[in-house]
């Protein structure tokens, strides 16, 4: 998945932003999958945790999703019955829906600069307001909200975006849409608007599904407002973006064997299987932070999270590089990480030499940034020096 903005957005000026909700600003797909899995299991079916089914459901109205599931899993119920059952479960779960990386930052930024923001979601109005109620400050950020049950046709029809523009008193050509689904991208483009796609679908599956978007990003962390004539973010520190810190750890294991042998960069690999659910919450990209290694000390790190397009990993991995020369290996030793900043999205490279050059550039960025606040303040965090069993 391309992580850099498409060239189509150059010299494009917009003065209104219209956002999708589910999968773009908040992660509701994870909760819905839990509910659907329980329902199909009740009927003796096995839920498929892959991106193929997600492609068919993403961006659709709830009844359309229910109809798709009834057909795909050959369920002995109607779409209306499945929808009613699923809603009875999810209405109590919205408090667990997490804001996606960069969502709150984007809303605060646009609101601070008085950029009119609209929300256009295929979800019913009642559900939209229930979800927003658990995200502090979000509801008042939107000048208009258009729900799927307030228009005749949902996405991929452009109706919902045209209605949002009408209520904003904006020309469609002056609106920027940010969407996570191929269905939403089609709707935004059909409305005559510029569209930034931030795919919810795993990157390997999604590569060909978002070609209609003007720009495709790995996450909202990569959104650059100035490319669209909007005020730029001013929160980067030393070429890195401060983020809400997250921690992980485990024993150092042998990885692919390419860190030292192929790249000349000795990464300290952690067991991906044990970290799978945690990694799924974080976008692919290059991060910086601090590492505590057994009794050796605390060190600066630069770290990749993702599928590593150049090597085309089969699974999402985390590969931290401790920016220190060690005299020996430390396989089996306990490694604790605090990730505190974001450098760039995951990217592919045309040659191994270019990949190695960029990794070293990332390392230099990390080294310099970690000497600055707020990054430097985490060097003394107790998590780094307290064994995981005692946390």
């Amino acid at each position: 998945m391309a992580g850099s903005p498409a060239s189509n957005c150059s010299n494009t000026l917009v003065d209104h932003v219209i956002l999708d909700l589910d999968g773009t600003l908040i992660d509701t797909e994870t909760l819905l999958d839990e509910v659907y899995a329980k329902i199909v299991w009740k009927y003796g079916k096995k839920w498929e945790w892959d991106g193929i089914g997600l492609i068919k459901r993403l961006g659709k109205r709830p009844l359309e999703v229910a109809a798709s599931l009834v057909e795909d899993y050959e369920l002995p119920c109607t779409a209306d019955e499945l929808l009613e059952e699923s809603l009875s479960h999810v209405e109590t779960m919205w408090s667990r829906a997490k804001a996606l990386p960069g969502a709150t930052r984007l809303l605060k930024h646009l609101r601070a600069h008085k950029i009119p923001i609209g929300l256009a979601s295929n979800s019913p109005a009642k559900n939209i307001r229930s979800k927003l109620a658990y995200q502090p400050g979000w509801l008042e950020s939107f000048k208009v909200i258009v729900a799927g049950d307030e228009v005749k046709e949902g996405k991929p029809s452009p109706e919902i975006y045209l209605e949002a523009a009408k209520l904003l008193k904006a020309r469609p050509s002056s609106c920027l849409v940010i969407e996570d689904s191929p269905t939403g991208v089609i709707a935004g483009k059909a409305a005559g608007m510029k569209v930034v796609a931030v795919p919810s679908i795993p990157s390997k599956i999604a590569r060909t599904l978002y070609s209609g978007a003007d720009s495709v990003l790995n996450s909202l962390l990569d959104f650059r407002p100035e490319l669209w004539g909007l005020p730029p973010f001013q929160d980067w520190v030393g070429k890195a973006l401060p983020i809400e810190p997250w921690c992980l750890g485990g024993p150092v294991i042998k990885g692919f064997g390419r860190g030292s042998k192929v790249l000349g960069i000795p990464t300290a690999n952690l067991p991906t299987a044990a970290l799978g659910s945690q990694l799924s919450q974080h976008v692919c990209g290059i991060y910086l932070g601090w590492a505590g290694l057994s009794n050796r000390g605390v060190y600066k790190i630069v770290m990749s999270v993702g599928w590593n397009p150049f090597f085309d990993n089969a699974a999402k991995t985390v590969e931290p590089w401790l920016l220190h020369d060690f005299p020996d290996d430390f396989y089996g030793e306990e490694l604790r990480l605090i990730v505190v900043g974001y450098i760039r999205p995951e990217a592919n490279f045309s040659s191994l030499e270019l990949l190695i050059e960029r990794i070293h550039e990332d390392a230099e960025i990390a080294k310099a940034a970690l000497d600055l606040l707020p990054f430097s303040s985490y060097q003394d965090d107790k998590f780094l020096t307290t064994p995981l069993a005692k946390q």
Side-chain angles (χ1 to χ4, degrees), residues 137-166:
W138 282 26
L139 184 59
E140 52 267 36
S141 296
F142 299 105
K143 190 173 182 180
V144 303
I145 296 176
V146 185
D149 57 355
E150 295 175 336
V151 293
K152 291 181 180 179
E153 297 183 1
K155 305 168 190 178
S157 165
E159 183 183 357
I160 196 167
Y161 280 117
L162 291 173
E163 180 65 15
K166 178 182 176 181

Side-chain angles (χ1 to χ4, degrees), residues 2 4 269 280 355:
S4 57
N269 295 280
S280 67
L355 170 60

